mmCIF file of all heavy atoms in Angstrom:
data_model
loop_
_atom_site.group_PDB
_atom_site.id
_atom_site.type_symbol
_atom_site.label_atom_id
_atom_site.label_comp_id
_atom_site.label_asym_id
_atom_site.label_seq_id
_atom_site.Cartn_x
_atom_site.Cartn_y
_atom_site.Cartn_z
ATOM 1 N N GLN A 17 -1.101 22.061 -9.680
ATOM 2 C CA GLN A 17 -0.304 22.778 -10.707
ATOM 3 C C GLN A 17 0.640 23.681 -10.011
ATOM 4 O O GLN A 17 0.451 24.103 -8.878
ATOM 5 C CB GLN A 17 -1.265 23.613 -11.622
ATOM 6 C CG GLN A 17 -2.108 24.641 -10.891
ATOM 7 C CD GLN A 17 -3.069 25.305 -11.837
ATOM 8 O OE1 GLN A 17 -3.308 24.895 -12.979
ATOM 9 N NE2 GLN A 17 -3.701 26.388 -11.337
ATOM 10 N N GLY A 18 1.819 23.895 -10.637
ATOM 11 C CA GLY A 18 2.802 24.667 -9.990
ATOM 12 C C GLY A 18 4.054 24.878 -10.806
ATOM 13 O O GLY A 18 4.119 24.641 -12.002
ATOM 14 N N LEU A 19 5.113 25.345 -10.127
ATOM 15 C CA LEU A 19 6.398 25.661 -10.723
ATOM 16 C C LEU A 19 7.495 25.071 -9.879
ATOM 17 O O LEU A 19 7.484 25.053 -8.693
ATOM 18 C CB LEU A 19 6.579 27.215 -10.698
ATOM 19 C CG LEU A 19 7.987 27.774 -11.033
ATOM 20 C CD1 LEU A 19 8.316 27.467 -12.492
ATOM 21 C CD2 LEU A 19 8.066 29.265 -10.737
ATOM 22 N N GLU A 20 8.497 24.499 -10.630
ATOM 23 C CA GLU A 20 9.641 23.854 -9.954
ATOM 24 C C GLU A 20 10.917 24.488 -10.554
ATOM 25 O O GLU A 20 11.093 24.555 -11.725
ATOM 26 C CB GLU A 20 9.621 22.352 -10.205
ATOM 27 C CG GLU A 20 10.757 21.613 -9.500
ATOM 28 C CD GLU A 20 10.642 20.135 -9.698
ATOM 29 O OE1 GLU A 20 10.713 19.671 -10.807
ATOM 30 O OE2 GLU A 20 10.613 19.410 -8.652
ATOM 31 N N LEU A 21 11.820 24.891 -9.613
ATOM 32 C CA LEU A 21 13.100 25.482 -9.998
ATOM 33 C C LEU A 21 14.192 24.633 -9.373
ATOM 34 O O LEU A 21 14.091 24.206 -8.219
ATOM 35 C CB LEU A 21 13.199 26.878 -9.512
ATOM 36 C CG LEU A 21 12.136 27.903 -9.981
ATOM 37 C CD1 LEU A 21 12.309 29.238 -9.316
ATOM 38 C CD2 LEU A 21 12.170 28.086 -11.527
ATOM 39 N N ALA A 22 15.324 24.465 -10.080
ATOM 40 C CA ALA A 22 16.393 23.615 -9.529
ATOM 41 C C ALA A 22 17.755 24.085 -10.096
ATOM 42 O O ALA A 22 17.825 24.660 -11.194
ATOM 43 C CB ALA A 22 16.193 22.165 -9.850
ATOM 44 N N ALA A 23 18.778 23.838 -9.331
ATOM 45 C CA ALA A 23 20.159 24.150 -9.799
ATOM 46 C C ALA A 23 21.118 23.157 -9.141
ATOM 47 O O ALA A 23 20.903 22.804 -7.944
ATOM 48 C CB ALA A 23 20.591 25.582 -9.436
ATOM 49 N N SER A 24 22.091 22.643 -9.872
ATOM 50 C CA SER A 24 23.016 21.624 -9.309
ATOM 51 C C SER A 24 24.300 21.703 -10.062
ATOM 52 O O SER A 24 24.327 21.749 -11.321
ATOM 53 C CB SER A 24 22.422 20.261 -9.434
ATOM 54 O OG SER A 24 23.302 19.287 -8.925
ATOM 55 N N GLY A 25 25.440 21.735 -9.344
ATOM 56 C CA GLY A 25 26.729 21.696 -9.968
ATOM 57 C C GLY A 25 27.747 22.665 -9.325
ATOM 58 O O GLY A 25 27.623 23.034 -8.093
ATOM 59 N N GLN A 26 28.729 23.069 -10.092
ATOM 60 C CA GLN A 26 29.805 23.898 -9.625
ATOM 61 C C GLN A 26 29.570 25.377 -10.026
ATOM 62 O O GLN A 26 29.410 25.675 -11.179
ATOM 63 C CB GLN A 26 31.151 23.427 -10.248
ATOM 64 C CG GLN A 26 31.609 22.037 -9.861
ATOM 65 C CD GLN A 26 32.077 21.994 -8.402
ATOM 66 O OE1 GLN A 26 31.789 21.069 -7.690
ATOM 67 N NE2 GLN A 26 32.867 22.962 -7.980
ATOM 68 N N ILE A 27 29.585 26.246 -9.028
ATOM 69 C CA ILE A 27 29.442 27.675 -9.300
ATOM 70 C C ILE A 27 30.867 28.194 -9.604
ATOM 71 O O ILE A 27 30.982 29.030 -10.529
ATOM 72 C CB ILE A 27 28.855 28.428 -8.090
ATOM 73 C CG1 ILE A 27 27.432 27.892 -7.859
ATOM 74 C CG2 ILE A 27 28.807 29.927 -8.364
ATOM 75 C CD1 ILE A 27 26.695 28.417 -6.681
ATOM 76 N N THR A 28 31.831 27.746 -8.865
ATOM 77 C CA THR A 28 33.272 28.018 -9.161
ATOM 78 C C THR A 28 33.982 26.698 -8.992
ATOM 79 O O THR A 28 33.419 25.710 -8.662
ATOM 80 C CB THR A 28 33.895 29.117 -8.267
ATOM 81 O OG1 THR A 28 33.890 28.540 -6.890
ATOM 82 C CG2 THR A 28 33.016 30.366 -8.215
ATOM 83 N N ASP A 29 35.281 26.733 -9.211
ATOM 84 C CA ASP A 29 36.082 25.449 -9.019
ATOM 85 C C ASP A 29 35.959 24.969 -7.602
ATOM 86 O O ASP A 29 36.082 23.722 -7.393
ATOM 87 C CB ASP A 29 37.528 25.719 -9.427
ATOM 88 C CG ASP A 29 37.712 25.927 -10.927
ATOM 89 O OD1 ASP A 29 36.800 25.537 -11.675
ATOM 90 O OD2 ASP A 29 38.747 26.508 -11.323
ATOM 91 N N ASN A 30 35.873 25.862 -6.642
ATOM 92 C CA ASN A 30 35.817 25.417 -5.242
ATOM 93 C C ASN A 30 34.443 25.430 -4.653
ATOM 94 O O ASN A 30 34.255 24.874 -3.529
ATOM 95 C CB ASN A 30 36.733 26.324 -4.389
ATOM 96 C CG ASN A 30 38.203 26.247 -4.791
ATOM 97 O OD1 ASN A 30 38.701 25.153 -5.076
ATOM 98 N ND2 ASN A 30 38.934 27.379 -4.826
ATOM 99 N N TRP A 31 33.449 26.017 -5.311
ATOM 100 C CA TRP A 31 32.103 26.211 -4.714
ATOM 101 C C TRP A 31 31.100 25.349 -5.466
ATOM 102 O O TRP A 31 30.887 25.532 -6.627
ATOM 103 C CB TRP A 31 31.790 27.703 -4.755
ATOM 104 C CG TRP A 31 30.503 28.003 -4.058
ATOM 105 C CD1 TRP A 31 29.714 27.254 -3.236
ATOM 106 C CD2 TRP A 31 29.707 29.232 -4.237
ATOM 107 N NE1 TRP A 31 28.615 27.873 -2.837
ATOM 108 C CE2 TRP A 31 28.549 29.148 -3.432
ATOM 109 C CE3 TRP A 31 29.941 30.368 -4.951
ATOM 110 C CZ2 TRP A 31 27.646 30.148 -3.392
ATOM 111 C CZ3 TRP A 31 29.034 31.411 -4.907
ATOM 112 C CH2 TRP A 31 27.899 31.252 -4.092
ATOM 113 N N ALA A 32 30.494 24.425 -4.748
ATOM 114 C CA ALA A 32 29.431 23.563 -5.337
ATOM 115 C C ALA A 32 28.108 23.820 -4.629
ATOM 116 O O ALA A 32 28.080 24.075 -3.418
ATOM 117 C CB ALA A 32 29.779 22.089 -5.305
ATOM 118 N N ALA A 33 27.021 23.649 -5.355
ATOM 119 C CA ALA A 33 25.702 23.880 -4.740
ATOM 120 C C ALA A 33 24.640 23.031 -5.407
ATOM 121 O O ALA A 33 24.722 22.764 -6.613
ATOM 122 C CB ALA A 33 25.352 25.350 -4.733
ATOM 123 N N THR A 34 23.599 22.689 -4.589
ATOM 124 C CA THR A 34 22.428 22.064 -5.108
ATOM 125 C C THR A 34 21.186 22.715 -4.458
ATOM 126 O O THR A 34 21.192 22.855 -3.172
ATOM 127 C CB THR A 34 22.380 20.567 -4.768
ATOM 128 O OG1 THR A 34 23.493 19.877 -5.413
ATOM 129 C CG2 THR A 34 21.090 19.903 -5.297
ATOM 130 N N ALA A 35 20.246 23.140 -5.255
ATOM 131 C CA ALA A 35 19.121 23.812 -4.617
ATOM 132 C C ALA A 35 17.818 23.445 -5.459
ATOM 133 O O ALA A 35 17.891 23.188 -6.677
ATOM 134 C CB ALA A 35 19.337 25.349 -4.698
ATOM 135 N N GLY A 36 16.714 23.520 -4.815
ATOM 136 C CA GLY A 36 15.493 23.218 -5.415
ATOM 137 C C GLY A 36 14.301 23.939 -4.701
ATOM 138 O O GLY A 36 14.297 24.025 -3.483
ATOM 139 N N TYR A 37 13.346 24.406 -5.459
ATOM 140 C CA TYR A 37 12.154 25.082 -4.913
ATOM 141 C C TYR A 37 10.926 24.726 -5.723
ATOM 142 O O TYR A 37 10.966 24.675 -6.926
ATOM 143 C CB TYR A 37 12.342 26.614 -4.913
ATOM 144 C CG TYR A 37 11.081 27.363 -4.553
ATOM 145 C CD1 TYR A 37 10.615 27.308 -3.264
ATOM 146 C CD2 TYR A 37 10.378 28.058 -5.562
ATOM 147 C CE1 TYR A 37 9.453 28.014 -2.994
ATOM 148 C CE2 TYR A 37 9.234 28.728 -5.234
ATOM 149 C CZ TYR A 37 8.711 28.741 -3.908
ATOM 150 O OH TYR A 37 7.557 29.416 -3.635
ATOM 151 N N THR A 38 9.859 24.367 -4.952
ATOM 152 C CA THR A 38 8.603 24.039 -5.647
ATOM 153 C C THR A 38 7.465 24.850 -4.977
ATOM 154 O O THR A 38 7.375 24.915 -3.750
ATOM 155 C CB THR A 38 8.272 22.517 -5.479
ATOM 156 O OG1 THR A 38 9.331 21.777 -6.079
ATOM 157 C CG2 THR A 38 6.959 22.197 -6.184
ATOM 158 N N ILE A 39 6.641 25.432 -5.802
ATOM 159 C CA ILE A 39 5.398 26.044 -5.348
ATOM 160 C C ILE A 39 4.303 25.367 -6.123
ATOM 161 O O ILE A 39 4.380 25.229 -7.316
ATOM 162 C CB ILE A 39 5.391 27.586 -5.522
ATOM 163 C CG1 ILE A 39 4.072 28.107 -5.114
ATOM 164 C CG2 ILE A 39 5.677 27.975 -6.965
ATOM 165 C CD1 ILE A 39 4.013 29.624 -5.033
ATOM 166 N N GLN A 40 3.274 24.919 -5.397
ATOM 167 C CA GLN A 40 2.177 24.215 -6.078
ATOM 168 C C GLN A 40 0.841 24.542 -5.421
ATOM 169 O O GLN A 40 0.778 24.786 -4.206
ATOM 170 C CB GLN A 40 2.414 22.679 -6.014
ATOM 171 C CG GLN A 40 2.486 22.095 -4.630
ATOM 172 C CD GLN A 40 2.816 20.629 -4.663
ATOM 173 O OE1 GLN A 40 2.860 19.969 -5.683
ATOM 174 N NE2 GLN A 40 3.005 20.058 -3.427
ATOM 175 N N HIS A 41 -0.178 24.598 -6.268
ATOM 176 C CA HIS A 41 -1.538 24.771 -5.757
ATOM 177 C C HIS A 41 -2.285 23.441 -6.004
ATOM 178 O O HIS A 41 -2.550 23.076 -7.177
ATOM 179 C CB HIS A 41 -2.177 25.943 -6.497
ATOM 180 C CG HIS A 41 -3.548 26.306 -5.975
ATOM 181 N ND1 HIS A 41 -4.457 27.081 -6.714
ATOM 182 C CD2 HIS A 41 -4.166 25.969 -4.822
ATOM 183 C CE1 HIS A 41 -5.578 27.141 -5.967
ATOM 184 N NE2 HIS A 41 -5.406 26.513 -4.854
ATOM 185 N N ALA A 42 -2.604 22.777 -4.942
ATOM 186 C CA ALA A 42 -3.316 21.512 -5.041
ATOM 187 C C ALA A 42 -4.735 21.658 -4.445
ATOM 188 O O ALA A 42 -4.832 21.978 -3.242
ATOM 189 C CB ALA A 42 -2.548 20.431 -4.288
ATOM 190 N N TYR A 43 -5.756 21.420 -5.226
ATOM 191 C CA TYR A 43 -7.092 21.692 -4.775
ATOM 192 C C TYR A 43 -8.123 20.764 -5.438
ATOM 193 O O TYR A 43 -7.832 20.112 -6.470
ATOM 194 C CB TYR A 43 -7.471 23.128 -5.021
ATOM 195 C CG TYR A 43 -7.460 23.555 -6.440
ATOM 196 C CD1 TYR A 43 -8.624 23.595 -7.256
ATOM 197 C CD2 TYR A 43 -6.228 23.902 -7.057
ATOM 198 C CE1 TYR A 43 -8.630 23.969 -8.528
ATOM 199 C CE2 TYR A 43 -6.237 24.350 -8.428
ATOM 200 C CZ TYR A 43 -7.385 24.337 -9.121
ATOM 201 O OH TYR A 43 -7.431 24.707 -10.466
ATOM 202 N N VAL A 44 -9.306 20.737 -4.800
ATOM 203 C CA VAL A 44 -10.444 20.039 -5.326
ATOM 204 C C VAL A 44 -11.164 20.962 -6.302
ATOM 205 O O VAL A 44 -11.623 22.003 -5.958
ATOM 206 C CB VAL A 44 -11.396 19.617 -4.215
ATOM 207 C CG1 VAL A 44 -12.619 18.910 -4.839
ATOM 208 C CG2 VAL A 44 -10.727 18.671 -3.295
ATOM 209 N N GLU A 45 -11.241 20.516 -7.578
ATOM 210 C CA GLU A 45 -11.881 21.330 -8.595
ATOM 211 C C GLU A 45 -13.356 21.110 -8.599
ATOM 212 O O GLU A 45 -14.143 22.063 -8.757
ATOM 213 C CB GLU A 45 -11.272 20.921 -9.922
ATOM 214 C CG GLU A 45 -11.635 21.912 -11.077
ATOM 215 C CD GLU A 45 -10.910 21.630 -12.340
ATOM 216 O OE1 GLU A 45 -10.359 20.506 -12.490
ATOM 217 O OE2 GLU A 45 -10.824 22.492 -13.222
ATOM 218 N N GLU A 46 -13.786 19.874 -8.406
ATOM 219 C CA GLU A 46 -15.195 19.556 -8.252
ATOM 220 C C GLU A 46 -15.337 18.459 -7.194
ATOM 221 O O GLU A 46 -14.599 17.452 -7.235
ATOM 222 C CB GLU A 46 -15.807 19.079 -9.587
ATOM 223 C CG GLU A 46 -15.879 20.151 -10.674
ATOM 224 C CD GLU A 46 -16.572 19.609 -11.916
ATOM 225 O OE1 GLU A 46 -17.326 18.652 -11.826
ATOM 226 O OE2 GLU A 46 -16.313 20.219 -12.982
ATOM 227 N N GLY A 47 -16.325 18.608 -6.366
ATOM 228 C CA GLY A 47 -16.510 17.568 -5.301
ATOM 229 C C GLY A 47 -16.408 18.137 -3.937
ATOM 230 O O GLY A 47 -16.214 19.407 -3.718
ATOM 231 N N ASP A 48 -16.522 17.266 -2.966
ATOM 232 C CA ASP A 48 -16.500 17.732 -1.524
ATOM 233 C C ASP A 48 -15.101 18.187 -1.109
ATOM 234 O O ASP A 48 -14.083 17.632 -1.600
ATOM 235 C CB ASP A 48 -16.948 16.596 -0.628
ATOM 236 C CG ASP A 48 -18.393 16.140 -0.939
ATOM 237 O OD1 ASP A 48 -19.200 17.070 -1.395
ATOM 238 O OD2 ASP A 48 -18.755 15.026 -0.707
ATOM 239 N N ALA A 49 -15.079 19.089 -0.162
ATOM 240 C CA ALA A 49 -13.788 19.564 0.436
ATOM 241 C C ALA A 49 -13.187 18.368 1.215
ATOM 242 O O ALA A 49 -13.893 17.574 1.809
ATOM 243 C CB ALA A 49 -14.009 20.745 1.392
ATOM 244 N N VAL A 50 -11.856 18.284 1.157
ATOM 245 C CA VAL A 50 -11.243 17.167 1.812
ATOM 246 C C VAL A 50 -10.310 17.567 3.021
ATOM 247 O O VAL A 50 -9.704 16.690 3.651
ATOM 248 C CB VAL A 50 -10.413 16.347 0.774
ATOM 249 C CG1 VAL A 50 -11.235 15.722 -0.209
ATOM 250 C CG2 VAL A 50 -9.367 17.220 0.104
ATOM 251 N N THR A 51 -10.241 18.855 3.253
ATOM 252 C CA THR A 51 -9.440 19.326 4.404
ATOM 253 C C THR A 51 -10.343 19.721 5.576
ATOM 254 O O THR A 51 -11.502 20.070 5.384
ATOM 255 C CB THR A 51 -8.545 20.538 4.057
ATOM 256 O OG1 THR A 51 -9.462 21.595 3.477
ATOM 257 C CG2 THR A 51 -7.565 20.176 2.989
ATOM 258 N N ASN A 52 -9.756 19.633 6.777
ATOM 259 C CA ASN A 52 -10.451 19.874 8.004
ATOM 260 C C ASN A 52 -11.015 21.332 8.087
ATOM 261 O O ASN A 52 -12.068 21.573 8.713
ATOM 262 C CB ASN A 52 -9.588 19.582 9.177
ATOM 263 C CG ASN A 52 -10.359 19.662 10.474
ATOM 264 O OD1 ASN A 52 -11.307 18.919 10.711
ATOM 265 N ND2 ASN A 52 -9.930 20.575 11.377
ATOM 266 N N ASP A 53 -10.365 22.284 7.495
ATOM 267 C CA ASP A 53 -10.732 23.688 7.577
ATOM 268 C C ASP A 53 -11.834 24.049 6.553
ATOM 269 O O ASP A 53 -12.334 25.183 6.466
ATOM 270 C CB ASP A 53 -9.561 24.636 7.364
ATOM 271 C CG ASP A 53 -8.922 24.527 6.038
ATOM 272 O OD1 ASP A 53 -9.401 23.696 5.176
ATOM 273 O OD2 ASP A 53 -7.888 25.164 5.786
ATOM 274 N N GLY A 54 -12.313 23.022 5.722
ATOM 275 C CA GLY A 54 -13.392 23.243 4.801
ATOM 276 C C GLY A 54 -12.969 23.872 3.504
ATOM 277 O O GLY A 54 -13.841 24.174 2.693
ATOM 278 N N SER A 55 -11.691 24.176 3.317
ATOM 279 C CA SER A 55 -11.247 24.812 2.024
ATOM 280 C C SER A 55 -11.145 23.734 0.987
ATOM 281 O O SER A 55 -11.327 22.551 1.173
ATOM 282 C CB SER A 55 -9.874 25.413 2.242
ATOM 283 O OG SER A 55 -8.875 24.446 2.419
ATOM 284 N N SER A 56 -10.903 24.176 -0.290
ATOM 285 C CA SER A 56 -10.769 23.251 -1.402
ATOM 286 C C SER A 56 -9.382 22.745 -1.572
ATOM 287 O O SER A 56 -9.112 21.947 -2.498
ATOM 288 C CB SER A 56 -11.167 23.968 -2.719
ATOM 289 O OG SER A 56 -10.338 25.112 -2.948
ATOM 290 N N ASP A 57 -8.445 23.131 -0.709
ATOM 291 C CA ASP A 57 -7.075 22.660 -0.777
ATOM 292 C C ASP A 57 -6.992 21.169 -0.518
ATOM 293 O O ASP A 57 -7.845 20.637 0.235
ATOM 294 C CB ASP A 57 -6.184 23.381 0.204
ATOM 295 C CG ASP A 57 -6.040 24.849 -0.112
ATOM 296 O OD1 ASP A 57 -6.225 25.210 -1.274
ATOM 297 O OD2 ASP A 57 -5.769 25.665 0.827
#
């Protein structure tokens, strides 16, 4: 689960930009840990 933000296009007639940011929490809700450090990630 997480959040995704994005922007794309012209800010001014001469200035164009494309940007994207994603933050996500990915984890094991039930079951064995799958990462080497033993966490639920």
